[in-house]
Amino acid sequence: FQQWYSNSMKVICMWLADRLDLQLHVYQLKTLIKIVKKTYRDFRLQGVLEGTLNSKTYDTVHSRLTVEEATASVTDAGGLQGITMKDSDE
């Protein structure tokens, strides 16, 4: 599971890195937020260690999506429809 999680985050990170100079479309952003949050939660429930879950790759993805979310909330009012990188338990 640890390798599966790490590879999943690496793929998302590489995809975002390829589009570093482009702003994500609101639908891309909503989908990626859902995928990243669900992946994180599901693998945490499967017993993947915190060190693996909170890797540098995950931090990079999380940071990028948080910045994109902030940009989208300023430029596209209501486009995210309540979808956010912030966990509901925070």
Side-chain angles (χ1 to χ4, degrees):
F1 280 122
Q2 291 179 354
Q3 185 178 7
W4 187 6
Y5 173 80
S6 295
N7 288 340
S8 298
M9 284 301 136
K10 284 178 188 173
V11 168
I12 294 170
C13 190
M14 288 185 333
W15 189 86
L16 288 170
D18 289 344
R19 290 150 185 82
L20 193 57
D21 56 341
L22 302 172
Q23 182 178 348
L24 297 177
H25 189 275
V26 69
Y27 297 113
Q28 290 174 318
L29 181 58
K30 285 170 54 174
T31 303
L32 283 171
I33 288 173
K34 287 180 182 180
I35 289 170
V36 169
K37 286 177 71 172
K38 180 147 180 59
T39 301
Y40 184 92
R41 288 182 184 144
D42 287 352
F43 281 91
R44 183 177 64 195
L45 288 173
Q46 291 298 324
V48 175
L49 301 174
E50 289 292 321
T52 303
L53 289 172
N54 297 317
S55 65
K56 183 165 176 54
T57 305
Y58 173 77
D59 289 341
T60 302
V61 169
H62 188 277
S63 296
R64 170 72 187 275
L65 293 179
T66 302
V67 169
E68 290 284 345
E69 175 189 340
T71 303
S73 67
V74 171
T75 59
D76 186 26
L80 290 176
Q81 301 168 343
I83 296 172
T84 177
M85 281 303 292
K86 187 173 183 173
D87 285 331
S88 58
D89 58 343
E90 287 183 0

